[in-house]
Structure formats: structure tokens, C-alpha cells
Amino acid sequence: MPKLGMEPIRRDALIKAAIAEIGAQGSLDVTVGRIAKRAGMSSGLAHHYFGSKDAMLLAAMRHLLAVYGSEIRAALQASDGPKARVEAIVRVSFSGSNFRREVVAAWLNFYVMAQHHDAAARLLRVYQARMRANLRHAMRPLAGARAPQMAEAVAAMIDGCYLREALGSGQPDGARAVAQVQAWVEAAMTGVET
């Protein structure tokens, strides 16, 4: 009989193993057995904790979104003014914990999963709505009526940087991605009347 308190530790290990395995494989064509092996446990135990591979993959995305959300909240609280809030959202989107090879692969595969899995689609809609709301709120004082349009464009650029990195090789370059998105924001804000 497992010790009390082992379930959260094992679930966390399986979630991290799922992210690593998706990154190594580059797709959702991973097996529960491979994920469990990477986590150092049996596939039976993995099925016991999650019930299915899809449930495990959704838990992995919830974990990534929780890390991202926590970093966003901290960065926004530390930001002074709307421009700093926009910069914080862009910077966190490409931070070391959010923009590394296995996380980028997980995001790309999550988008694919959301096309045919209702729970994944709901989770993706929640993430996108929060991203847009944060960007609109930060951009409203800077761009006025154009804030929703600008927020959509920045969100699309962030997604585009993830897609480009997913299709590339080597380690993602977060600093370059931040510089590209920030340069576009600066150029788009030139001449904007609020």
C-alpha cells in the first residue's frame, strides 16, 4: 500500500515525464508506458492516477498553464503602467520556464489535441480569453479603441513564435522572440491616438 501523500508526488512526476516525452517525441504519439518509464513507475500506476493518456496530457497542459499563469500574475503585479504590463506579458510568454523545447512541443500538440477533444478545446479557450483580456487591459490606455485589435495581433505573434520554434531545431531563443514582438508593438503604437 502506497504511503499517504505519494499521489501528488507521483502525479507531478508523471506530468513532468509527459511533457518531456512529448518534447522528445515531438508529437502526441507517446504511450503511457513510455511516460511511466520516464517517471520511474509502471504504466498501471500511471493509468491508476490518470485513467487515460488524454487525461494525463490534459493534466500536463493544466500544469503548464498554471506555471504560466503564476508567472503572469507576478509580472503584472510588479509592472508599473500599461506599457510595462504589455512588456511583462510578452516577456513571461517567452521565459525560460515557458519557452523551452519540450514545452513548445507540448503547446503545439495541445493545439492539435484541442481540434478533436472537448476538454482540451475548453482549456485552450480559457487560456486564449485570459491572454486577450490581459493584453486588452494593458493596451487600452495606450491604444484606446484599437486595443482589442492590437491585443489580437500580439496574441497571434506570440502563438506564431511558438509555432516557428516548434518547427525549428535547437533550443528556443526567448530573448529573440521577446525582441521581435516588442519591436512590432513599438512600431504599431507609433502614431496611435488614444
Side-chain angles (χ1 to χ4, degrees):
M1 187 169 201
K3 293 180 188 175
L4 251 101
M6 286 305 292
E7 181 176 352
I9 294 167
R10 288 180 177 155
R11 287 177 68 87
D12 187 58
L14 285 164
I15 287 169
K16 289 177 180 166
I19 294 165
E21 195 61 32
I22 291 167
Q25 209 49 32
S27 75
L28 292 175
D29 292 334
V30 297
T31 65
V32 172
R34 287 183 61 137
I35 293 168
K37 183 177 180 182
R38 186 178 283 266
M41 58 189 85
S42 71
S43 59
L45 197 54
H47 279 290
H48 168 72
Y49 287 128
F50 290 100
S52 70
K53 181 174 94 170
D54 282 352
M56 189 181 304
L57 297 176
L58 283 172
M61 284 315 300
R62 283 187 193 98
H63 169 78
L64 293 176
L65 287 168
V67 169
Y68 177 76
S70 176
E71 288 185 24
I72 284 287
R73 284 187 298 279
L76 290 175
Q77 286 177 347
S79 298
D80 186 26
K83 184 177 179 187
R85 289 177 67 83
V86 173
E87 291 170 357
I89 294 166
V90 172
R91 190 177 57 257
V92 169
S93 296
F94 301 110
S95 72
S97 56
N98 296 309
F99 199 59
R100 56 184 204 275
R101 176 66 42 214
E102 63 271 18
V103 174
V104 170
W107 269 103
L108 181 64
N109 286 286
F110 176 59
Y111 273 91
V112 171
M113 185 180 185
Q115 305 250 336
H116 60 83
H117 193 283
D118 290 340
R122 265 191 314 277
L123 191 57
L124 182 59
R125 283 192 301 272
V126 168
Y127 155 74
Q128 289 174 329
R130 285 181 184 162
M131 167 72 85
R132 289 180 185 118
N134 283 332
L135 285 166
R136 276 192 311 269
H137 176 74
M139 295 188 125
R140 194 163 288 116
L142 302 170
R146 287 190 52 215
Q149 175 189 358
M150 298 278 292
E152 285 293 325
V154 174
M157 289 191 71
I158 290 169
D159 286 345
C161 288
Y162 270 76
L163 178 60
R164 186 178 56 220
E165 287 299 334
L167 300 174
S169 60
Q171 287 302 312
D173 186 347
R176 184 185 73 216
V178 168
Q180 288 173 336
V181 175
Q182 287 297 106
W184 180 87
V185 170
E186 290 294 326
M189 295 305 291
T190 303
V192 170
E193 292 182 24
T194 56

